[in-house]
């Protein structure tokens, strides 16, 4: 993952206009968008993460950090405004803290364990600013100063605020306000040497660009995109004697690109021309070795760390040693420099490598050092590299790699090998080729002597390399613990603190910094009260009491002045002191217009013209307006989804086929339309609405014969009729308990009407019986049985005539009472006193009351009120017990009266 962080200057000087007609802040926004568009052409851009920072105070300076999306980045970039100071130093420090806090919790710096180039988090910081002075609250600063105070845990382990994989590139916009004279010159982009940012860019391994025209800006963006590479910055310093000029030796000076001698080549070439070329090459090398051309001896450049195509991240084996010998008894770690100082010796050596031993190969960025090595044209020789103080008893240290030109002389590579590889590689070669993995005491003694000169943190990589070669268990496990327990605990503590700080920083992004409530007023003088000139007068004012005078002067130090909030708009109509002096006349005219208006119902305090007065810089800012809008409501009815691809596009699939003839049947409920996504259920036979008749009533209406004909007597079996009627009654009662209150019994369907219907049927049966005496005797017996059955059931269930007025009033009372009780059940809470008070007013026989209580229990079960169900069951039992007591008492009274 490559982090590309844009630090955009948002000081007031970025509002100056250029010859292009736009301000510098607008050019900065367009530059960021152009950079992202050019970068997107590279395949490696899919691992990029963009961040946007400004020069504001934290946390408002972070516009897009670790958790913000690409859309947030673009939105915040468009809304940037240029106000404030050019505090570039603190802003750079905040940018480094934002990057380093994630490094500390991930542990990729491996403090005390060597520096691993393949553990990196490359970051490119692109600073876009103008060529103005650096201004702070303390005044104008001539140079760039980064505050050394850091809130990132573990920042004391590194001397500099940046790391070796973080580079700064400065884009200094010096586009003039008038059209420049020469706009067609060469496209060389000079460095901004006069700006303080240039020195910071050089320190981190980057560079600065001074842009004067739009064409130079486009070329700068192309150059910046090419600089986005994955790698780390290393300082290369020469030690030891000067290298011997190759061409002065006389024989091996003339080599081709492949390192082969050019002798006997180009036979037709004149000998004089060869001598002149040799002289030019000798003079060129002599000029390079003069004191004025020693840039190659000390340079700070990048080494490219490639990403593995299979794994997607960088892979390596050997670290770069630390600049100190780790002491297991030390309680602290010495701070390291951000970029390691790699010292190379110009003594030509042969590159060493053995079979199956892994090594790391990194390409150097083009620099004066790489140019000098390539011009020597010696691809078969190398220069060893060292780290000072890395060994235990040597200041220079032992070699751990070498610099070597490629075979084609196209680049220079840094090979990183095991520490002190000139001693280790012959030992390993002897072990595999001479001893055939049979370790002798002499070889083991030599190997143990090598291990003592090797830093302990090389034990793990060396053990893995030897296991890969087929010789495990050569490195002791005791070498892994090269840090003390105190240091390990401290590093774990720093990692946990960094995680907490990271979460706090992420949560603070986007939050508004609270303004100060007021300005504290300090006393003008801190001298003693006795030395004041007006001491006598003050003493007289307080009545000669010095203590009260001290208290008044002390209380005055806590006095604060209120600060106006810029977000609160001035209310001209409520507070006339908010009216600016320049707007007095306009405001008076508006007040006059509002005061003299005729309509009292449409009173307006602000005219329409003022409501639409918006500054030009805020006309395109729709984000604040959209944030204040209420959320959209959902649609009332969802649009039907298309379930097919062809045919009529307006056709909606319907799962319910309804026949109008079925709906017209007597006593049937209309078919309810179901949603097309709901599962289809078999409708089953239609049942009539449950009536008020008791459940044990068995009634069957006979078919009415046509006049003049005798219907055949075909009565169904009594058992099947009884079962069907009982089942239908049970199902109808369950349907009634689950149905809503609107489907309950209404007053029109009172028992009085049903009783009259039964009496009418009874008369009809008698008339039919009298009119068809000459018909079959079986039909007459059937009619008589039906009438007698109805009469017996009526006498048994009611005890008197159903058509009586008293019975009808009783049923209507129970119906209304049922509505009331069902409403009481729906109410929340566990206070059921009102419900049982109503329940005590139920009228009718014991069977009717028991059936009524069962309906109430069934309704309470719908709402899962278990406590109420238990109370109702106890109430039902008490009803039965009280009725049995009454019957016992009555029977006892009758028996006593009979005696």
């Amino acid at each position: 993952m490559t982090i590309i962080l844009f630090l955009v200057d948002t000081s007031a000087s970025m509002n100056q206009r250029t010859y292009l007609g736009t301000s510098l802040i607008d050019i900065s926004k367009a530059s960021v968008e152009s950079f992202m568009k050019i970068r997107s052409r590279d395949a490696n851009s899919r691992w990029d993460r963009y961040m946007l920072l400004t020069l504001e105070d934290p946390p408002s300076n972070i516009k897009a950090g670790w958790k913000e999306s690409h859309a947030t980045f673009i939105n915040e970039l468009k809304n940037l405004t240029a106000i404030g100071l050019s505090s570039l130093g603190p802003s750079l420090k905040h940018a480094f803290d934002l990057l380093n806090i994630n490094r500390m919790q991930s542990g990729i710096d491996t403090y005390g364990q060597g520096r691993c180039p393949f553990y990196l988090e490359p970051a490119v910081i692109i600073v876009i600013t103008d060529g103005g002075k650096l201004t702070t609250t303390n005044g104008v600063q001539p140079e760039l100063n980064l505050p050394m105070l850091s809130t990132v845990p573990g920042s004391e382990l590194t001397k500099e605020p940046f790391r070796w994989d973080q580079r700064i590139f400065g884009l200094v916009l010096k586009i003039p306000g008038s059209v420049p004279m020469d706009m067609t010159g060469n496209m060389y982009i000079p460095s901004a040497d006069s700006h303080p940012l240039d020195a910071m860019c050089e320190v981190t391994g980057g560079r600065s660009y001074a842009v004067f025209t739009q064409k130079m800006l486009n070329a700068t963006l192309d150059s910046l995109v090419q600089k986005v590479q994955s790698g780390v910055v290393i300082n290369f310093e020469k030690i030891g004697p000067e290298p011997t000029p190759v061409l002065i030796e006389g024989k091996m000076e003339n080599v081709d690109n492949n390192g082969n001698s050019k002798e006997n080549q180009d036979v037709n070439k004149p000998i004089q021309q060869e001598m002149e070329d040799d002289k030019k090459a000798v003079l060129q090398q002599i000029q390079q070795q003069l004191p004025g051309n020693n840039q190659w001896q000390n340079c700070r450049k990048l080494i490219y760390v490639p990403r593995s195509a299979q794994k997607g991240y960088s892979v390596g084996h050997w670290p770069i040693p630390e600049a100190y010998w780790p002491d297991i008894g030390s309680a602290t770690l010495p701070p390291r420099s951000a970029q390691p100082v790699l010292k190379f010796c110009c003594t030509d050596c042969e590159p060493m490598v053995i079979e199956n031993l892994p090594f790391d190969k990194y390409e150097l960025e083009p620099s004066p050092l790489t140019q000098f090595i390539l011009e020597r044209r010696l691809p078969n020789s190398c220069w060893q590299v060292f780290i000072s103080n890395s060994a235990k008893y040597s200041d220079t240290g032992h070699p751990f790699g070498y610099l070597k030109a490629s075979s084609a002389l196209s680049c220079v590579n840094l090979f990183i090998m095991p520490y002190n590889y000139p001693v280790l590689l012959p030992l390993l070669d002897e072990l595999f080729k001479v001893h055939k993995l049979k370790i002798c005491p002499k070889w083991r003694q030599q190997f143990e002597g090598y291990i003592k000169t090797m830093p302990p943190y090389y034990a793990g990589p060396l053990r893995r390399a030897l296991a890969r070669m087929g010789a495990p268990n050569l490195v002791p496990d005791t070498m892994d613990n090269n840090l003390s327990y105190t240091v390990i605990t401290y590093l774990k503590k720093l990692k946990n603190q960094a995680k907490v700080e990271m979460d706090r920083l992420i949560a603070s992004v986007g939050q508004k910094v609270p303004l100060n409530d007021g300005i504290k007023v300090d006393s003008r003088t801190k001298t003693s009260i006795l030395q004041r000139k007006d001491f006598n007068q003050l003493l007289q004012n307080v009545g000669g009491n010095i203590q009260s005078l001290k208290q008044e002067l002390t209380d005055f130090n806590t006095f604060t002045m209120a600060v106006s909030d810029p977000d609160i708009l001035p209310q001209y109509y409520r507070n006339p002191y908010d009216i600016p002096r320049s707007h007095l006349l306009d405001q008076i005219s508006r007040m006059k217009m509002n005061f003299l208006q005729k309509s009292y119902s449409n009173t307006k305090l602000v005219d329409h013209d003022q409501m639409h007065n918006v500054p030009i810089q805020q006309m395109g800012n729709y984000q604040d307006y959209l944030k204040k809008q209420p959320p959209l409501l959902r649609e009332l009815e969802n649009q039907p989804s298309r379930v097919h691809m062809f045919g009529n596009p307006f056709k909606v699939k319907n799962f319910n086929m309804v026949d109008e003839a079925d709906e017209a049947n007597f006593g049937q409920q209309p078919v309810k339309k179901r949603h097309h996504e709901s599962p289809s259920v078999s409708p089953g036979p239609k049942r009539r609405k449950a009536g008020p008749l008791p459940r044990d009533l068995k009634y069957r209406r006979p078919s009415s014969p046509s006049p003049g004909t005798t219907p055949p007597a075909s009565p169904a079996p009594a058992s099947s009729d009884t079962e069907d009627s009982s089942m239908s009654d049970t199902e109808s009662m369950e349907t009634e308990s689950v149905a809503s209150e609107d489907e309950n019994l209404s007053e029109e369907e009172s028992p009085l009407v049903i009783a009259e219907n039964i009496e009418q049927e009874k008369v009809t049966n008698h008339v039919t019986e009298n009119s068809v005496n000459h018909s079959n005797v079986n039909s007459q017996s059937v009619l008589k049985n039906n009438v007698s059955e109805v009469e017996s059931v009526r006498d048994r269930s009611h005890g008197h005539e159903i058509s009586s007025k008293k019975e009808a009033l009783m049923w209507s009372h129970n119906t209304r009472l049922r509505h009331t009780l069902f409403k009481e059940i729906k109410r929340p809470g566990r206070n059921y006193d009102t419900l049982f008070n109503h329940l005590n007013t139920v009228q009718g026989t014991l069977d009717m009351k028991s059936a009524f209580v069962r309906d109430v229990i069934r309704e309470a079960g719908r709402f899962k009120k278990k406590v109420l169900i238990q109370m109702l069951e106890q109430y039902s039992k008490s009803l039965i017990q009280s009725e049995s007591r009454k019957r016992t008492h009555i029977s006892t009274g009758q028996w006593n009266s009979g005696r």
Side-chain angles (χ1 to χ4, degrees):
M1 179 182 67
T2 303
I3 301 173
I4 303 176
L5 190 148
F6 294 97
L7 181 59
V8 182
D9 187 359
T10 54
S11 60
S13 58
M14 294 291 287
N15 286 320
Q16 55 185 326
R17 296 285 173 177
T18 64
Y19 74 93
L20 300 172
T22 56
S23 61
L24 292 179
I25 187 66
D26 295 333
I27 293 178
S28 302
K29 298 177 185 180
S31 301
V32 174
E33 293 179 353
S34 300
F35 178 90
M36 297 170 63
K37 186 180 298 183
I38 300 173
R39 174 63 180 169
S40 63
R41 301 170 187 169
D42 191 356
N44 295 325
S45 62
R46 62 180 180 271
W47 287 296
D48 292 347
R49 172 180 287 277
Y50 291 100
M51 297 184 181
L52 180 64
L53 273 72
T54 60
L55 303 189
E56 302 176 29
D57 295 332
S60 58
N61 62 328
I62 304 176
K63 304 301 180 183
W66 287 106
K67 295 298 182 180
E68 282 67 37
S69 61
H70 182 73
T72 304
F73 179 92
I74 298 298
N75 182 29
E76 294 293 338
L77 178 66
K78 292 180 179 179
N79 294 333
L80 288 182
T81 55
I83 52 175
L85 302 176
S86 300
S87 55
L88 191 58
S91 300
L92 273 175
K93 183 62 171 58
H94 295 323
F96 287 134
D97 291 345
L98 179 65
L99 299 175
N100 295 335
I101 194 171
N102 185 62
R103 299 174 64 89
M104 195 62 211
Q105 71 170 356
S106 60
I108 64 175
D109 285 323
T110 61
Y111 291 104
Q113 303 289 331
R115 302 170 187 258
C116 300
F118 45 89
Y119 289 161
L120 78 165
E121 192 177 71
V124 177
I125 302 175
I126 301 176
V127 183
I128 305 177
T129 180
D130 59 341
K133 299 293 183 179
L134 302 181
T135 57
T136 61
T137 55
N138 298 328
V140 179
Q141 293 183 349
E143 58 184 9
L144 186 65
N145 294 324
L146 271 69
M148 298 307 296
L149 218 40
S150 178
T151 59
V152 178
S155 58
E156 68 276 2
L157 298 177
T158 307
K159 298 177 182 178
E160 294 85 359
F162 53 87
R163 303 294 181 264
W164 65 340
D165 52 0
Q166 298 171 359
R167 295 182 295 162
I168 298 178
F169 293 92
L171 190 59
V172 182
L173 302 177
K174 295 186 177 181
I175 303 176
S178 59
V179 180
M181 298 297 295
D182 186 13
M183 296 181 62
T184 59
N186 57 356
M187 290 312 299
Y188 171 72
I189 306 171
S191 300
D193 299 331
S194 60
H195 199 274
L197 185 62
D198 181 67
M200 194 65 191
C201 295
E202 291 294 335
V203 168
T204 58
R207 64 156 296 185
S208 61
Y209 300 89
V211 179
F212 295 94
T213 61
Q214 179 66 34
K215 194 173 183 180
M216 294 178 66
L217 179 61
N218 298 334
T220 301
L221 295 177
D222 293 336
S223 176
L224 280 176
V225 172
Q226 296 176 2
K227 296 290 184 181
V228 180
Q229 299 288 343
S230 177
V232 294
V233 179
I234 295 178
N235 291 332
F236 293 94
E237 290 185 3
K238 185 188 79 67
I239 59 173
E242 297 290 337
T244 304
V246 178
L247 296 176
I248 295 178
E249 295 179 359
K251 291 184 179 181
M252 298 182 63
E253 68 277 8
N254 208 0
V255 292
D256 59 2
N257 292 336
N258 296 323
N260 302 321
S261 176
K262 286 188 177 180
E263 190 176 2
N264 298 329
Q265 294 182 4
D266 297 332
V267 180
N268 296 327
K269 185 177 181 180
I271 299 177
Q272 186 68 25
Q273 185 67 26
E274 292 182 1
M275 296 177 61
E276 290 180 358
D277 293 342
D278 293 343
K279 289 180 180 179
K280 290 181 180 179
V282 171
L283 292 175
Q284 183 178 4
Q285 281 205 352
I286 292 175
Q287 289 178 359
Q288 288 180 354
Q289 295 182 3
L290 292 176
N293 295 326
N294 291 336
Q295 296 181 358
W296 63 274
Q297 297 182 5
N298 190 349
C299 61
R300 182 186 292 106
K301 289 299 176 181
L302 183 79
I303 62 171
Y304 300 117
V305 181
R307 184 181 285 108
S308 175
Q310 292 82 10
K311 298 183 179 181
Y313 53 87
S314 302
V315 179
H317 303 88
W318 307 103
I320 297 176
E322 299 279 0
Y324 55 87
W325 183 265
D327 186 8
I328 195 171
S330 177
T332 57
L333 288 176
R336 62 159 66 155
S337 59
Q339 300 162 351
V341 180
L342 218 80
K343 297 186 177 182
F344 59 92
C345 181
C346 297
T347 303
D348 292 335
C349 301
E350 291 186 1
M352 299 180 64
V353 66
I354 62 175
E355 188 178 0
N356 296 328
L357 181 67
F359 60 88
D360 298 333
K361 178 182 176 182
Y362 303 106
E363 180 184 349
L364 268 69
E365 186 183 14
S367 62
L369 175 61
T370 59
Q371 183 180 0
F372 183 83
I373 295 176
L374 292 176
E375 286 177 352
R376 288 175 55 85
R377 308 176 69 83
L378 293 176
N380 296 324
S381 64
C382 63
W383 291 348
Q384 292 179 344
V385 292
F386 307 84
I387 292 290
S388 298
N389 302 320
S390 60
K392 191 172 185 179
Y393 302 108
S394 175
D395 294 338
T396 305
H398 300 290
F400 65 93
Y402 50 82
L403 292 172
K404 178 183 174 298
S406 62
S407 301
L409 296 177
S410 59
C411 62
V412 177
N413 297 320
L414 171 64
F415 289 84
I416 297 182
M417 308 288 292
Y419 192 78
N420 199 6
Y421 70 95
V423 177
L424 176 65
L425 265 60
L427 287 175
L428 296 179
D429 193 39
E430 181 183 354
L431 175 65
F432 287 99
K433 294 183 179 179
V434 178
H435 300 293
K436 303 297 181 181
L437 292 176
K438 296 180 180 179
I439 302 174
C440 61
K442 182 180 179 181
W443 187 91
R444 181 174 290 279
Q445 183 179 3
Q446 293 177 352
F447 185 76
E448 289 178 354
Y450 161 76
I451 287 180
K452 292 180 180 178
T453 63
M454 179 188 70
Y457 45 80
Y458 271 89
L462 182 59
R463 186 184 298 108
R464 290 190 292 269
L466 292 177
R468 178 180 176 183
M469 297 173 68
N473 304 325
L474 291 178
V475 182
D477 297 336
T478 56
M479 294 188 65
D480 292 336
N481 301 327
N482 61 317
L483 297 177
S484 64
Y485 177 75
T486 307
V487 174
I488 294 175
T489 306
Y490 178 66
L491 292 177
K492 290 182 179 179
K493 180 181 178 182
L494 290 179
K495 185 178 292 187
N496 295 332
Q497 290 179 356
K499 180 174 177 55
V500 173
E501 187 68 20
M502 182 76 171
D503 296 339
R504 186 197 63 80
L505 181 64
I506 291 175
S508 64
V509 174
Q511 293 183 357
K512 186 178 180 181
V513 180
L515 299 175
N516 295 328
D517 296 335
I519 302 174
K520 293 184 178 180
V521 179
D522 296 334
S523 59
R524 295 184 179 181
T525 176
K526 295 183 180 180
T527 59
S528 176
I529 302 174
L530 301 176
Q531 296 178 2
R532 294 184 58 168
K533 296 180 180 180
D534 56 347
F535 172 74
N536 294 329
Q537 184 178 358
L538 291 173
L539 192 60
Q540 291 177 0
N541 293 336
V542 296
N545 191 354
I546 298 180
Q547 294 297 330
S548 61
L549 178 61
K550 286 184 179 180
Q551 185 177 1
E552 287 187 7
L553 295 177
T554 305
D555 294 342
F556 180 74
N557 292 333
T558 60
F559 180 72
T560 56
M561 295 179 59
V563 179
S564 60
D565 191 353
D567 294 338
I568 299 178
L569 298 177
Q571 300 179 356
Y572 296 158
Y573 293 97
R574 295 190 176 184
N575 189 5
Y577 295 100
D578 289 343
I579 304 174
R581 186 181 182 88
S582 59
H583 295 172
L584 277 175
L585 296 178
D586 294 339
Q587 190 64 25
I588 290 175
S589 63
R590 291 191 182 97
M591 294 172 68
K592 183 179 179 180
M593 184 186 305
N594 292 328
F595 181 72
L596 297 179
Q597 60 183 341
K598 299 179 180 180
S599 176
Y600 293 97
S601 59
N602 297 328
T603 303
K604 57 180 181 178
L605 297 180
V606 182
D607 59 348
H608 297 285
D609 182 38
Q610 187 181 6
M611 291 175 61
H612 297 284
N613 284 339
V614 181
I616 296 177
Q617 60 183 358
Q618 297 181 3
M619 284 186 177
N621 186 7
Y622 300 105
Q623 300 302 322
D624 296 339
Y625 176 77
L626 293 177
K627 290 177 182 178
K628 297 178 182 178
Q629 292 293 322
L632 298 177
L633 300 177
R634 65 174 180 82
E635 297 182 0
L636 292 177
E637 295 182 0
N638 296 330
Q639 296 294 332
S641 58
R642 291 189 59 186
V643 294
H644 51 77
M645 292 295 295
F646 306 100
N648 186 3
F650 301 101
K651 181 179 179 181
V652 180
K653 190 173 181 180
N654 190 6
F655 288 92
N656 298 321
M657 303 302 294
V658 182
D659 191 1
E660 292 79 5
D662 294 336
E663 292 183 349
N665 289 340
F666 176 76
Q668 293 184 355
Q669 297 292 334
V671 179
K672 297 182 179 179
K673 294 185 179 180
R674 304 175 64 89
H675 198 269
H676 63 87
E677 295 181 357
S678 61
S680 59
V681 182
S682 57
K686 297 288 193 298
R687 297 186 179 91
R688 295 182 60 182
K689 185 177 178 181
L693 293 177
R695 296 177 58 183
D696 54 355
L697 176 62
K698 301 177 183 58
Y699 170 69
R700 184 179 53 189
R701 178 181 301 188
S703 58
S704 58
S706 58
T709 60
T710 304
S714 59
S719 60
S720 62
D721 292 344
T722 307
E723 293 176 358
D724 294 341
S725 60
S726 62
M727 291 176 60
S728 62
D729 290 339
T730 304
E731 292 175 355
S732 64
M733 292 300 293
E734 293 177 354
T735 306
E736 180 184 1
S737 63
V738 177
S740 61
E741 293 182 2
D742 295 339
E743 296 179 357
N744 290 330
L745 184 65
S746 61
E747 295 185 1
E748 286 78 7
E749 298 175 350
S750 62
L752 182 61
V753 179
I754 298 174
E756 292 177 355
N757 293 335
I758 296 176
E759 287 294 326
Q760 184 66 30
E761 291 173 2
K762 175 184 174 183
V763 175
T764 306
N765 291 335
H766 283 287
V767 172
T768 307
E769 182 181 358
N770 296 329
S771 60
V772 293
N773 287 328
H774 61 277
S775 63
N776 196 355
V777 180
N778 293 330
S779 61
Q780 296 176 4
S781 62
V782 169
L783 294 176
K784 290 181 180 180
N785 291 334
N786 289 336
V787 174
S788 61
E789 184 180 358
V790 172
E791 290 179 352
S792 62
V793 170
R794 180 187 58 191
D795 295 337
R796 183 176 66 252
S797 59
H798 301 285
H800 55 83
E801 292 293 334
I802 299 178
S803 58
S804 64
K805 187 175 181 181
K806 181 179 179 180
E807 186 72 15
L809 293 175
M810 179 183 65
W811 279 89
S812 62
H813 169 74
N814 291 346
T815 302
R816 290 192 297 269
L817 185 61
R818 179 182 297 172
H819 284 273
T820 305
L821 290 176
F822 283 5
K823 290 182 180 179
E824 289 292 331
I825 292 174
K826 293 180 181 179
R827 292 182 180 178
R830 295 191 175 183
N831 187 7
Y832 306 118
D833 296 337
T834 307
L835 187 142
F836 283 96
N837 291 336
H838 289 299
L839 197 60
N840 292 330
T841 61
V842 179
Q843 299 178 4
T845 62
L846 177 62
D847 296 337
M848 296 173 62
K849 291 182 179 180
S850 300
F852 192 96
V853 174
R854 284 196 297 272
D855 291 344
V856 177
I857 292 175
R858 206 174 288 115
E859 182 69 11
R862 290 179 56 210
F863 296 95
K864 298 181 180 180
K865 294 192 174 184
K866 298 180 180 180
V867 178
L868 180 59
I869 292 174
Q870 294 177 0
M871 297 172 67
L872 290 172
E873 289 176 352
Q874 295 178 0
Y875 180 81
S876 179
K877 292 179 181 179
S878 64
L879 280 179
I880 298 173
Q881 292 176 0
S882 62
E883 187 67 23
S884 61
R885 290 171 187 166
K886 288 181 181 180
R887 291 180 180 177
T888 305
H889 180 69
I890 293 172
S891 60
T892 304
Q894 291 177 355
W895 183 76
N896 291 333
S897 62
R899 289 185 61 187

